[in-house]
Amino acid sequence: MAVLHVNERQREGHINAEIYGHFSEHLGRCIYEGLYVGENSDIPNVNGMRKDVVDALKEMKIPMLRWPGGCFADEYHWKDGIGPKETRKKMINTHWGGVVEDNSFGTHEFFELCGQLGCKTYINGNVGSGTVQEMSEWVEYMTFDGVSPMADLRRKNGHEKPWKVDYFGVGNENWGCGGNMTPEYYANLYRRYQTYIRHYDHAAPIRKVCGGPNVADYFWTEGVLKTCFAPPQPEWAHGFMDELSLHYYVHPNGWDNKGSATQFDEEEWYRTMAKAIYMEELIERHGAIMDQYDPDKKIGLSVDEWGCWFDVEPGTNPGFLYQQNTMRDALVAGVTLNIFNKHCDRVKMACIAQMVNVLQSVILTEGPKMILTPTYHVFHMYKEHQDAELLHSYMEGNKTVGTKEDQVPFLSESVSVDADGVVHVTVSNLSVSEDSPVEVAFAELKPSSVKASILTGEMRAHNTFEEPDNVKETEFAGCEIAGDRIRFNLPACSVVSLRVS
Ligand code: AHR
């Protein structure tokens, strides 16, 4: 029996809703078809945005969306995507499949989408092939309310009032596709570019995201922070840098042999779990470097690209990164979100990659059809953690499970309390074959009611357009209140969420 101890008196920090954020890039069928079909499409839409997809994302409580990339961001020139659609420039999407990008989804469309979703906005600017002027004018176009060339252009294009930009990324992966820079070179550019991201709305300053490391590139983190915080120090305490990004994808067999999204064995399952858990070490080690420059933890580590990256589905365009999504993805999501919750003192924002039809998506589409993936259900089950307070919790008697090479903890958990005092517990069972009895023990709370839901299935179980409900969240009736404890038997390969009051 594993005992999950929860101390409701020990609140450990605020879980920013943006930890549950998403990423949408001009890549494959994410934007075009997945989100945007145009006003004249037969697929039901509101101002061009797919109604089925928007409704599902709202139901999942999407808090924030990052756009337009990714690697695409560093070759995106925002002025190509405004004004009458017939005159918008057509370009080659060199990173992703070499297809024609007609720019019919641009700045106005992005804000229309976020308005329909009711979510915060994260715009990623172009440092790799763009100028300071271009970036600074984009910010002016989007956020300035007065009379100016860019604000006037926005009005001419039909939008009177400025939009709200919550986050602005200064480049993307500038150690790689964003310009192959050294940390010092990028950091000097960061210092310069960020200067011109003006806070036109002083009541709602834009949070500036500095391009951070890939996986365990501690050299990058150290080099960027050292250069950014070297004298003459800008007014960093007032928003010079609000976030440092981290990108980490789980490839069970390495970059050159990613493996199938649906055809894998137990060995690969545990290797995937071990690689997902590695996220914790990355956060702690990059966080330790950040502590030297930012001991008060004002700067967030924003994991703005994470998720599983497998081989594309057979027969699909290799440049489109379209992959299926199984219970393995669900467990990776459950484990990762628990890690983010537990590190909410440093992780203030994150984006799973990517939202629709690309990599570890919550939604897949095929023409007019749409399915929800196992990962969607996990985000739905965890939604109550958004903007809740993390509670101190630990698992006593948590055994390990796995292969000789890859031993992982049986259970992963996190616990929060919301503004109404309701406690939310999420637990995953990483074993593919063994159930686990769990007891939740509170310090003070005498639970009188528990409502629970579960996502479970065989390790390769997934949804298809023919069988869209193979894997779905269902009510979990297996919880029993015994005095001040809650007991349940957690099936193998499952994620459970409990709502306790
Ligand atoms: O998400 C796919 C790609 O992965 C992004 O464009 C890039 O930032 C990362 O390498």
Side-chain angles (χ1 to χ4, degrees):
M1 163 85 69
V3 182
L4 172 58
H5 293 275
V6 180
N7 187 347
E8 318 87 83
R9 285 169 304 189
Q10 201 172 330
R11 294 183 176 213
E12 304 213 305
H14 184 73
I15 300 175
N16 257 4
E18 288 94 311
I19 284 179
Y20 290 81
H22 289 256
F23 172 35
S24 60
E25 180 166 10
H26 288 241
L27 196 179
R29 295 182 300 116
C30 180
I31 298 287
Y32 300 111
E33 186 190 315
L35 292 162
Y36 179 74
V37 287
E39 294 84 344
N40 302 324
S41 170
D42 290 340
I43 298 175
N45 69 83
V46 177
N47 298 329
M49 311 299 156
R50 279 185 86 122
K51 206 175 158 343
D52 52 354
V53 171
V54 167
D55 288 347
L57 292 169
K58 278 165 77 175
E59 172 58 34
M60 190 193 72
K61 206 175 159 191
I62 176 172
M64 184 202 64
L65 184 59
R66 176 176 180 232
W67 172 83
C71 294
F72 182 80
D74 280 290
E75 59 180 353
Y76 181 62
H77 300 286
W78 69 272
K79 284 186 184 161
D80 298 347
I82 56 170
K85 292 200 178 171
E86 6 7 304
T87 57
R88 292 189 192 176
K89 259 190 208 160
K90 294 189 172 40
M91 64 185 270
I92 308 170
N93 191 333
T94 52
H95 276 291
W96 306 119
V99 293
V100 174
E101 162 64 56
D102 71 1
N103 279 302
S104 55
F105 188 97
T107 305
H108 291 247
E109 289 74 22
F110 174 69
F111 284 101
E112 168 67 24
L113 173 63
C114 292
Q116 291 187 23
L117 293 170
C119 73
K120 290 192 174 170
T121 57
Y122 175 1
I123 297 273
N124 212 115
N126 178 347
V127 170
S129 69
T131 62
V132 176
Q133 181 181 0
E134 183 182 12
M135 189 180 282
S136 125
E137 285 186 341
W138 200 6
V139 174
E140 182 187 323
Y141 186 89
M142 294 185 286
T143 62
F144 187 53
D145 201 8
V147 174
S148 81
M150 291 303 115
D152 291 347
L153 183 59
R154 182 191 68 236
R155 288 189 196 96
K156 189 173 151 236
N157 287 330
H159 204 88
E160 178 59 34
K161 283 287 165 199
W163 295 288
K164 169 102 172 61
V165 174
D166 295 290
Y167 295 86
F168 193 95
V170 181
N172 168 73
E173 296 196 348
N174 301 93
W175 38 261
C177 66
N180 288 307
M181 301 174 191
T182 63
E184 291 74 21
Y185 181 73
Y186 169 73
N188 279 316
L189 286 185
Y190 177 80
R191 290 175 68 123
R192 178 169 168 229
Y193 276 64
Q194 70 78 33
T195 309
Y196 302 94
I197 299 172
R198 305 290 185 201
H199 296 306
Y200 293 110
D201 180 356
H202 291 285
I206 299 170
R207 286 185 74 81
K208 297 175 190 176
V209 185
C210 176
N214 186 34
V215 198
D217 190 352
Y218 304 112
F219 178 74
W220 179 274
T221 303
E222 178 67 50
V224 165
L225 293 180
K226 197 170 161 191
T227 309
C228 280
F229 295 116
Q233 238 181 46
E235 294 171 61
W236 65 274
H238 305 288
F240 168 64
M241 184 191 296
D242 300 295
E243 307 279 339
L244 180 74
S245 69
L246 163 67
H247 289 183
Y248 173 51
Y249 287 98
V250 169
H251 313 290
N253 310 315
W255 177 254
D256 295 327
N257 173 23
K258 300 185 190 72
S260 158
T262 52
Q263 304 303 310
F264 54 88
D265 58 17
E266 287 195 13
E267 239 175 63
E268 215 170 305
W269 165 279
Y270 287 114
R271 205 176 311 132
T272 309
M273 294 305 136
K275 291 203 171 182
I277 289 167
Y278 180 52
M279 178 68 88
E280 181 143 46
E281 181 177 329
L282 293 174
I283 293 170
E284 286 171 357
R285 293 186 63 184
H286 286 294
I289 300 171
M290 292 174 79
D291 286 347
Q292 293 167 33
Y293 297 89
D294 171 41
D296 298 333
K297 294 186 167 46
K298 287 192 174 137
I299 301 173
L301 182 62
S302 77
V303 191
D304 59 15
E305 285 187 36
W306 69 271
C308 292
W309 189 326
F310 303 120
D311 287 341
V312 297
E313 289 307 307
T316 64
N317 186 329
F320 281 13
L321 310 186
Y322 175 73
Q323 66 190 41
Q324 251 294 359
N325 196 292
T326 66
M327 276 306 296
R328 177 171 60 160
D329 296 81
L331 267 291
V332 168
V335 164
T336 306
L337 293 171
N338 283 338
I339 293 172
F340 290 164
N341 285 348
K342 291 213 171 226
H343 290 82
C344 64
D345 59 335
R346 186 55 93 180
V347 179
K348 313 276 187 192
M349 180 258 268
C351 306
I352 190 168
Q354 297 189 7
M355 193 159 72
V356 189
N357 291 335
V358 172
L359 303 177
Q360 189 174 347
S361 304
V362 289
I363 288 176
L364 301 177
T365 66
E366 196 179 84
K369 294 188 219 152
M370 176 196 86
I371 54 175
L372 307 177
T373 66
T375 301
Y376 173 95
H377 294 292
V378 173
F379 272 80
H380 189 262
M381 290 164 74
Y382 275 59
K383 69 182 195 295
E384 306 302 340
H385 284 311
Q386 291 186 28
D387 277 331
E389 300 301 314
L390 179 73
L391 292 181
H392 179 74
S393 63
Y394 70 94
M395 193 68 85
E396 183 193 343
N398 198 1
K399 294 181 289 177
T400 61
V401 62
T403 58
K404 211 166 97 216
E405 291 76 26
D406 295 297
Q407 282 287 309
V408 294
F410 232 92
L411 302 165
S412 146
E413 53 78 24
S414 68
V415 185
S416 69
V417 59
D418 69 20
D420 299 325
V422 178
V423 173
H424 300 279
V425 180
T426 46
V427 188
S428 299
N429 182 349
L430 279 65
S431 167
V432 283
S433 51
E434 238 184 284
D435 295 4
S436 178
V438 180
E439 203 167 80
V440 187
F442 296 96
E444 277 177 352
L445 179 76
K446 305 269 175 282
S448 59
S449 143
V450 52
K451 276 178 136 179
S453 62
I454 189 165
L455 187 76
T456 189
E458 185 272 323
M459 67 177 180
R460 298 184 208 90
H462 57 279
N463 295 329
T464 64
F465 293 95
E466 293 70 42
E467 292 182 278
D469 290 328
N470 264 341
V471 183
K472 67 172 185 189
E473 179 185 349
T474 53
E475 193 187 328
F476 182 51
C479 289
E480 175 205 347
I481 299 179
D484 57 356
R485 296 193 166 200
I486 296 170
R487 289 197 189 118
F488 54 93
N489 191 47
L490 193 57
C493 189
S494 64
V495 180
V496 73
S497 77
L498 273 53
R499 186 188 162 86
V500 185
S501 52

